[in-house]
Amino acid sequence: MEIHRLEEMKTGYDEVLFNKLYKETKGLRRSLASQIDHRRYGVSPDIVLSWFDDKFIFVFQKHADNKDPDVLKGFIINSLKTFKLRVLRVAYQKEGEFYNSIISNDIEDFDILDTIPDHDPEEIHSIFYETMMEYMKNHLTDNAYLVLQLKLNPPPYIISRLERNSSRIPNELIIEFLNIEYDDYNDADNYIKILNKEINQAIKNAKEYFRRS
């Protein structure tokens, strides 16, 4: 995803520093790449990993000359984590799949289905999902919409850590997956609670909106 922005390495660049930082962030890049559902992009896992390699190279090229090594490493780490969120947002902007069996039970029921005339069940789900998600996308902040998508379409990274597919996704797992960093864990937990409240309020508004439509 960053390859179009890459340029040839500058003459005389610090190859030792490059190799050192590349090795030290290898585990992080692999971890972040494993949290991306490669199937949403129609590519293999190694391609997703290469996106994070490209991001590493891009950030190193851009900042190696203007940041101290320790600062540069921290900057690269933060950039990789931010890049993962951008990749996720791009993935969830695409047409989603309606996993009715794994809707998180801490989101209020989407009982506005009773406002749609009788159709084939699969058609109802398709119509509802597309219409509802378009509404939610237009009425939620980016981060709230991302959390909603994680609850509706949990990626393999999250599903593998649940006791069963229908389990509620705990805030702790969302915080871990999104790499939300606060000095105090309670602050991060409160932030997710705020996003959940925003989601539930938007759902209430959507139900009212569609009933009036």
Side-chain angles (χ1 to χ4, degrees):
M1 286 190 167
E2 299 289 313
I3 193 169
H4 66 287
R5 303 170 68 187
L6 295 182
E7 301 175 354
E8 290 187 12
M9 299 299 289
K10 298 177 181 178
T11 302
Y13 78 95
D14 192 335
E15 187 173 351
V16 173
L17 178 61
F18 178 92
N19 290 333
K20 177 177 181 292
L21 295 180
Y22 187 80
K23 181 178 180 180
E24 291 177 350
T25 58
K26 179 179 179 180
L28 175 62
R29 295 196 309 278
R30 288 187 176 277
S31 175
L32 295 175
S34 71
Q35 296 168 29
I36 303 296
D37 187 352
H38 62 92
R39 296 169 299 179
R40 289 181 177 274
Y41 291 92
V43 299
S44 58
D46 62 306
I47 294 298
V48 176
L49 178 58
S50 74
W51 295 344
F52 287 88
D53 288 341
D54 292 340
K55 183 64 177 179
F56 171 90
I57 295 171
F58 174 78
V59 176
F60 183 89
Q61 287 178 326
K62 186 174 182 180
H63 297 288
D65 293 337
N66 55 50
K67 296 187 183 298
D68 293 333
D70 289 341
V71 175
L72 176 61
K73 180 180 178 180
F75 194 83
I76 289 173
I77 289 173
N78 288 334
S79 295
L80 289 171
K81 291 179 178 180
T82 301
F83 179 67
K84 187 199 79 169
L85 295 182
R86 182 159 68 87
V87 173
L88 286 173
R89 287 194 181 102
V90 171
Y92 285 125
Q93 283 172 358
K94 296 183 178 182
E95 182 178 359
E97 297 174 286
F98 186 76
Y99 295 112
N100 189 47
S101 63
I102 54 178
I103 293 180
S104 177
N105 61 15
D106 64 332
I107 294 181
E108 296 183 3
D109 285 338
F110 286 73
D111 57 10
I112 67 165
L113 279 174
D114 57 14
T115 68
I116 302 177
D118 290 338
H119 285 81
D120 176 79
E122 291 187 4
E123 182 179 358
I124 292 176
H125 283 167
S126 178
I127 294 173
F128 165 71
Y129 184 87
E130 293 176 6
T131 305
M132 184 67 170
M133 294 313 296
E134 183 64 25
Y135 178 95
M136 299 300 282
K137 183 178 180 181
N138 292 331
H139 291 80
L140 289 174
T141 59
D142 288 344
N143 286 342
Y145 184 72
L146 179 57
V147 169
L148 173 63
Q149 286 284 19
L150 290 179
K151 290 174 179 291
L152 292 177
N153 302 310
Y157 179 88
I158 286 181
I159 293 176
S160 66
R161 286 161 174 76
L162 298 176
E163 292 184 3
R164 57 184 184 277
N165 283 352
S166 58
S167 295
R168 174 184 177 275
I169 301 176
N171 289 353
E172 180 179 358
L173 185 52
I174 295 176
I175 292 169
E176 174 188 341
F177 181 72
L178 296 179
N179 299 118
I180 297 174
E181 297 181 345
Y182 280 89
D183 293 334
D184 187 336
Y185 172 79
N186 289 331
D187 290 338
D189 185 61
N190 287 335
Y191 178 62
I192 297 301
K193 289 178 180 178
I194 289 172
L195 295 181
N196 282 331
K197 287 181 180 179
E198 181 183 345
I199 291 169
N200 286 329
Q201 184 59 53
I203 291 173
K204 289 180 181 179
N205 294 342
K207 289 177 182 179
E208 185 62 29
Y209 172 81
F210 286 110
R211 286 195 179 102
R212 293 198 308 266
S213 299

